[in-house]
């Protein structure tokens, strides 16, 4: 089968298009013939060695397609069934991937494969952030960085559907249009304006209830500074680089602030939790409350170009590979 393999840590050029033996259906899992493989920022951290991973490996943690084979002991999923998944292992940038049943989500007839794929890693992330990490309520003010990105566009929409006021940050005017269309009340182009200053102008001395920060190094300090007393900083990524060690006294000085660094794995601990989040997301799409915007779909062989674009902040919404 065709796949993308990484033999050494490095730039996008280490993403090599190869012909390798396909995996088989694992015990307790299924083999998925993929029509779409998701690209996520974590794929960049793994390729560059920010998160160490044994070499060589086929990157990619997300996909959608049809069950090709069912492993030993699996019940309730059949060959030919449409499924999607996100799993905390590798193997996604390929025609076929072996997926543990715990992460397999049956896809309803009215949800297309690309949408289903987009809702797995980035959708479930936006879901747990808005519903569990900081449960947004009507009237809560949320600051959301990188709001035109994969997670960002979904998080803005879910936050709005829960009645929150959303202040969004984006890198360009074009991205601002997308964030606004997703429902953001105010949008700051943080490449040109100091988002902390603008946020204070917008909400006064009160500050925001929660800052969802996936940009990290370049933003965390000012995200912390615009929280209201007892507000929460949710650092869930570091697209600009990792956040340095934080002095806990800063949380007292800011007004008994909360700080958390959540990961998807801790919010998808059981199959029921995975299926529950997927069900909610599919329902939101069906009700017209959520749109998974596919920013670009690249041929599998162009994975390097796709990751180059992602790192260069040149993309919006969900990026897919088409095997
Ligand atoms: P995005 O589509 O959001 O792409 C990343 C975006 O980050 C860019 O488009 C850019 O938007 C912004 N950015 C700001 N500074 C930089 C920089 N120096 N280099 C690159 N990008 C930068 O990616 P994803 O939706 O896949 O992921 C978004 C974030 O969420 C990532 O940090 C990822 O690690 C994190 N994440 C965390 C999870 C968790 O459970 N903890 C799960 C899923 C994702 P702009 O130009 O508008 O600034």
């Amino acid at each position: 089968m065709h796949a993308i393999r990484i033999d050494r840590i490095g730039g996008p050029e280490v993403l090599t298009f190869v012909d390798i033996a396909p995996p088989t259906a694992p015990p307790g899992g299924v083999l998925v013939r993929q029509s779409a493989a998701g690209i996520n920022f974590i794929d960049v951290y793994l390729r560059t060695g920010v998160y160490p991973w044994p070499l060589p490996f086929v990157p990619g943690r997300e996909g959608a397609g049809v069950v090709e084979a069912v492993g030993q002991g699996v019940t309730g999923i059949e060959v030919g069934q449409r499924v999607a998944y996100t799993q905390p292992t590798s193997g996604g940038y390929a025609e076929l991937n072996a997926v543990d049943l715990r992460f397999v989500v049956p896809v309803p007839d009215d949800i297309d494969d690309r949408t289903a794929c987009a809702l797995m890693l980035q959708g479930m992330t936006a879901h747990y952030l808005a519903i569990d990490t900081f449960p947004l309520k009507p009237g809560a003010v949320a600051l959301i960085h990188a709001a035109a990105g994969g997670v960002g566009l979904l998080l803005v929409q879910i936050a709005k559907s829960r009645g929150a006021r959303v202040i969004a940050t984006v890198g360009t005017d074009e991205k601002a249009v997308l964030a606004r269309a997703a429902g953001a009340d105010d949008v700051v182009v943080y490449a040109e304006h100091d988002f902390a200053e603008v946020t204070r102008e917008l909400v006064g001395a009160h500050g925001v209830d929660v800052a969802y920060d996936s940009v990290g190094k370049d933003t965390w300090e000012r995200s912390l500074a615009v929280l209201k007393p007892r507000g929460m900083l949710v650092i869930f990524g570091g697209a600009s680089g990792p956040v340095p060690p934080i002095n806990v006294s800063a949380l007292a000085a800011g007004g008994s602030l909360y700080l958390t660094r959540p990961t998807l794995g801790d919010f998808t601990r059981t199959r029921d939790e995975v299926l529950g989040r997927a069900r909610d997301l599919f329902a939101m799409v069906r009700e017209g409350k959520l749109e998974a915007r596919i920013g670009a779909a690249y041929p599998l062989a162009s994975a390097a170009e796709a990751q180059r674009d992602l790192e260069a902040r040149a993309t919006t919404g969900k990026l897919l590979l088409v095997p």
Side-chain angles (χ1 to χ4, degrees), residues 41 45 122 125 128 150-151 171 175 190 214 236 239 262 264 313:
F41 214 88
Y45 304 139
Q122 293 170 340
T125 298
Y128 85 71
V151 175
K175 292 184 178 185
Y190 54 2
S214 65
F236 68 100
L264 178 60
R313 304 169 72 167

Side-chain angles (χ1 to χ4, degrees), residues 103-149:
F103 306 108
V104 175
V105 174
V107 177
D109 289 345
D110 58 350
I111 303 288
D112 64 80
D113 283 11
R114 292 182 175 201
T115 300
C117 187
L119 294 179
M120 294 296 110
L121 201 157
Q122 293 170 340
M124 290 200 202
T125 298
H127 188 270
Y128 85 71
L129 289 172
I131 288 165
D132 297 301
T133 303
F134 185 95
L136 288 168
K137 296 201 176 74
V141 183
L143 175 67
I144 299 177
H145 290 306

